Amino acid sequence: MKKFVLFSVVFLSLILAPILFTIFSFSLLFSQDSGVKEFEENFNIRLPRGTVSEKIYDDYGGFHNDGMKLYKFVFTPEGKKSFVSYIEKQESWKKLPLSQAYQALIYGGEIKDFSGNVTGFGGFAKEVGLPKISSGYWKAIGDKSVITARFIDYENLDTKTLINLNSYDFYLAIYDAEKGILYMFSINT
């Protein structure tokens, strides 16, 4: 009886081990970096194979999951060429500098409203660790998961709209052409 049990255990181990190894290998092979996945889902673009993300800042989890997040994406040399070639052909990606509204929001500044009153914005870049980028491309989109963000044209956010916003729910991608690094900033307030 002991030989039968020992034989059964060895036999099942030899059969199950390769099956489990195969399942785990495929799951690791096809699992995707969460930052890359979040970027691709929101910006509706596939990042080049081999792109690695680093989460620089994340304080999400406040009331109604409010917070800010900053990811840094590093490309392989081939991936960088592919990404730049793609965004240069897209009308939705704009050359830097940022618009006046995004400049104030991200790096700080003052904006006058239609009455001449000045409104100051502190800038989020310092808080999240986003460097000042002067050469490259950028694109902004509203956070599709937030109902009110669907009614705001975050792609073409102007200072009039900015002054009247009570909350921010958008993603901003900035590609630093000098360093070849892509940043994704998201905020929900």
Side-chain angles (χ1 to χ4, degrees):
M1 181 74 169
K2 286 184 180 180
K3 284 184 176 182
F4 177 74
V5 171
L6 183 61
F7 175 76
S8 298
V9 169
V10 170
F11 180 75
L12 285 173
S13 297
L14 290 173
I15 298 292
L16 290 176
I19 293 171
L20 291 173
F21 179 76
T22 304
I23 291 170
F24 287 119
S25 295
F26 278 115
S27 67
L28 287 174
L29 182 64
F30 293 109
S31 67
Q32 193 176 30
D33 180 319
S34 64
V36 170
K37 185 177 180 180
E38 185 175 350
F39 182 88
E40 290 179 347
E41 287 175 357
N42 288 292
F43 285 89
N44 199 25
I45 178 178
R46 301 257 325 140
L47 291 176
R49 195 173 278 243
T51 301
V52 177
S53 76
E54 175 187 349
K55 190 184 294 184
I56 296 174
Y57 184 91
D58 185 354
D59 73 348
Y60 269 83
F63 184 68
H64 290 278
N65 203 27
D66 288 353
M68 294 185 290
K69 220 185 298 189
L70 180 66
Y71 277 99
K72 171 182 173 180
F73 299 95
V74 180
F75 302 107
T76 64
E78 301 82 28
K80 182 169 72 171
K81 289 177 190 172
S82 170
F83 182 74
V84 170
S85 174
Y86 176 79
I87 64 173
E88 285 179 336
K89 296 173 187 170
Q90 305 302 309
E91 290 181 19
S92 60
W93 284 82
K94 301 170 179 115
K95 280 193 167 202
L96 286 172
L98 294 170
S99 69
Q100 185 181 4
Y102 281 112
Q103 186 69 30
L105 267 176
I106 303 304
Y107 295 111
E110 296 179 340
I111 295 175
K112 288 184 181 179
D113 66 11
F114 62 93
S115 301
N117 299 322
V118 175
T119 303
F121 293 91
F124 299 116
K126 187 175 181 181
E127 184 175 345
V128 300
L130 177 66
K132 183 79 171 159
I133 302 166
S134 57
S135 176
Y137 298 89
W138 67 279
K139 179 178 180 172
I141 58 168
D143 185 341
K144 298 171 194 132
S145 69
V146 179
I147 293 173
T148 55
R150 297 176 190 171
F151 301 108
I152 299 167
D153 183 9
Y154 278 107
E155 268 190 68
N156 301 300
L157 185 67
D158 58 14
T159 55
K160 289 179 191 175
T161 306
L162 175 61
I163 288 173
N164 292 311
L165 288 178
N166 295 320
S167 66
Y168 310 112
D169 300 294
F170 66 89
Y171 286 88
L172 176 67
I174 303 177
Y175 177 72
D176 184 341
E178 292 174 5
K179 294 183 180 172
I181 296 173
L182 174 67
Y183 294 92
M184 178 182 71
F185 172 72
S186 68
I187 183 167
N188 294 97
T189 60

